[in-house]
């Protein structure tokens, strides 16, 4: 599929039902929201149980354990999503998480949490995440028309922000009332709530598989075929470069770097909380804008420009003279980067041949959930050596390089989302 296929449909095309009024999309959105809240509650319970069961280093080991299988198996998860269909994989993932978490809650009724037990659960969750994340990202093009993909990305962003806001307090309340047992049980119930909604989601039939996709082969052959599809595609290759480079510059400063900056400036946990909340509000506003508007003209060009301007905000954060100024900058960064990221995801899903959706999504998810977090130790070491100012500027420059890479490709600059 070339960029020509991203243009608006002809006048004879029937009107599409807006995603926010489509019962099929809303069922998927409800299931996704319940699952994301369950994730937040689970991580809260896991962190609390680990801190009570072991030392600080052991707590870090428990929380990091899930990242290993997530990184190693992410691409295989994309192959599985294309083979079995994304809905089946998402349903199976939620069933697995529900059973594991409820089983752990039951076990903790009779014994205290042990570090080995929590590491085992974290590893299982990492494996399941490696299957869940590519599949859930590949679902939107299978449940609605192409012209609604940008709106669905906005709705998904709103759901993710809402889950973050609701999940942490809910997890904390559950821990306060009943300890890790109640918190793990609550997470299991939330995973279970997503299942009936997912079972009611109707899938759009795939068009005939193009000859280029070939006959199904081994998992390795399908994986290399998917990577070849990305490399040869006039839009997907540049989009993956934009994602990889900009995420490397964005994730470290906005997650670890802000903590170090707040401590250095004496802003405290309260100031840090306001800054993080402002970023979330900005990203939520971007998601709401896209959910309501449904489409942004010249999506490829706008996405690259948003990343470039947002990169300036990343560099400026380290030089904010006060908490109030940092809050304003963080809100703008959240708005610009949130909208740019949603447009990027919509362009990826629109450009990808349906038979490759799982594999393509697994590559983009690998960059955002596995590769980009590797910048944490680099960010920490760089701040210790040179301070927050130079590190935030360098990170902003890396983000800007991602946007500049996108602008260098004519097909990406001219890419349009369907109407």
């Amino acid at each position: 599929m070339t960029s020509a296929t991203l243009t608006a449909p002809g006048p004879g095309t029937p009107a599409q039902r807006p995603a926010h009024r489509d019962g099929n999309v809303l069922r998927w959105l409800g299931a996704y929201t319940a699952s994301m809240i369950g994730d937040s509650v689970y991580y809260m319970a896991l962190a609390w149980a680990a801190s009570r069961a072991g030392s600080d280093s052991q707590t870090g080991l428990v929380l990091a354990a899930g990242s290993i299988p997530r990184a190693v198996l992410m691409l295989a998860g994309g192959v599985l999503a294309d083979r079995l269909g994304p809905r089946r994989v998402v349903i199976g993932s939620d069933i697995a998480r529900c059973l594991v978490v409820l089983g752990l809650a039951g076990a903790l009724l009779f014994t205290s949490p042990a570090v080995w037990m929590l590491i085992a659960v974290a590893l299982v969750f990492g494996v399941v995440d490696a299957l869940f994340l590519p599949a859930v990202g590949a679902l939107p093009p299978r449940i609605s028309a192409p012209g609604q993909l940008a709106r669905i990305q906005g709705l998904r962003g709103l759901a993710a922000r809402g889950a973050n806001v609701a999940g942490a307090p809910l997890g904390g309340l559950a821990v306060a009332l009943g300890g890790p047992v109640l918190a793990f049980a609550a997470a299991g119930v939330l995973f279970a709530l997503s299942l009936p909604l997912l079972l009611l989601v109707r899938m759009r039939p795939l068009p005939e598989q193009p000859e280029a996709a070939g006959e199904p082969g081994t998992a390795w052959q399908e994986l290399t075929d998917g990577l070849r599809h990305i490399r040869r595609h006039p839009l997907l290759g540049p989009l993956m470069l934009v994602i990889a480079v900009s995420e490397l510059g964005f994730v470290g400063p906005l997650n670890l770097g802000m903590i170090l900056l707040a401590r250095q400036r004496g802003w405290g946990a309260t100031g840090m909380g306001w800054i993080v909340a402002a970023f979330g509000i900005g990203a939520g506003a971007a998601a709401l804008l896209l959910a309501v508007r449904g489409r942004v003209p010249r999506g490829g060009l706008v996405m690259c420009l948003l990343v470039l301007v947002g990169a300036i905000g990343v560099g400026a954060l380290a030089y904010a003279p006060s908490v109030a100024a940092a809050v304003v900058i963080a809100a703008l960064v959240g708005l610009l980067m949130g909208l740019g990221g949603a447009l990027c995801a919509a362009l990826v899903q629109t450009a990808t041949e349906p038979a490759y959706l799982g594999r393509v999504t697994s590559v983009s998810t690998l960059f955002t959930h596995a590769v980009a977090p590797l910048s944490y130790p680099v960010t920490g070491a760089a701040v210790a050596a040179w301070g927050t100012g130079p590190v935030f500027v360098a990170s902003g420059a890396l983000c800007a390089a991602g946007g500049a890479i996108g602008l260098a490709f004519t097909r990406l600059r001219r890419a349009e989302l369907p109407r």
Side-chain angles (χ1 to χ4, degrees), residues 84-390:
L84 302 181
R87 187 180 71 157
R88 290 181 181 178
V89 176
V90 171
I91 290 173
S93 300
D94 273 346
I95 290 175
R97 292 196 285 188
C98 178
L99 293 177
V100 169
V101 174
L102 290 179
L104 178 60
L108 294 182
L109 289 173
F110 304 100
T111 183
S112 299
V115 171
W116 68 266
M117 182 189 304
L118 299 176
I119 289 177
V121 170
L123 287 171
V124 171
F125 254 74
V127 172
V128 175
D129 276 349
L131 306 180
F132 174 83
L133 291 171
V136 79
L139 266 176
R142 300 289 304 275
I143 62 175
S144 187
Q148 296 301 314
L149 285 177
R151 184 171 271 127
I152 290 176
Q153 289 304 318
L155 292 172
R156 183 181 176 185
L158 283 174
R161 295 297 165 187
N164 290 336
V165 170
L170 180 60
L173 179 63
V175 168
L177 294 177
V181 172
L182 181 59
F184 283 124
V189 170
L190 285 163
F191 293 137
L193 285 176
S194 71
L195 295 174
L197 292 171
L198 285 170
L199 291 171
L200 293 173
V201 172
R202 300 184 307 276
M203 303 293 287
R204 293 165 59 90
L206 285 176
E208 289 188 12
Q209 185 169 311
E211 292 182 6
E215 294 296 325
T218 66
W220 178 255
Q221 289 171 334
E222 291 185 36
L223 174 58
T224 55
D225 186 37
L227 297 176
R228 193 180 304 115
H229 175 66
I230 293 173
R231 180 172 59 84
R232 294 176 176 176
H233 198 284
L235 282 182
L236 292 178
L239 281 168
M240 293 302 154
L241 284 174
V242 172
I243 293 170
V245 175
S246 59
E247 284 289 329
L248 280 174
F250 180 73
V251 170
L254 266 296
N255 289 328
L256 177 62
M258 282 307 308
I259 296 173
L260 302 177
L261 178 64
R263 185 175 66 186
Q264 183 184 86
R265 295 292 187 85
W267 292 342
T270 302
M272 176 66 190
W274 279 109
I275 296 169
V276 172
F279 174 82
I281 291 171
L288 179 61
L289 174 65
L290 202 56
V292 172
R293 184 175 178 83
R295 182 179 180 273
V296 175
R298 307 191 71 179
L301 177 62
V302 171
M303 179 208 66
C304 295
L305 293 177
L306 287 170
V307 173
L308 279 172
V309 179
I312 298 173
V314 172
L317 272 170
Y319 298 95
S322 63
V323 172
V327 164
V328 172
I329 295 172
L332 290 174
V333 171
L335 176 65
L336 296 169
M337 291 298 198
L339 185 54
L343 287 173
C344 185
L347 286 168
V348 168
Q349 292 182 337
T350 304
T352 304
E353 293 286 353
Y356 291 100
L357 273 169
R359 282 164 285 179
V360 171
T361 304
S362 72
V363 173
S364 62
T365 307
L366 179 69
F367 287 132
T368 56
H369 285 79
V371 176
L374 296 177
S375 64
Y376 291 164
V378 176
T379 300
V383 168
W386 298 298
T388 52

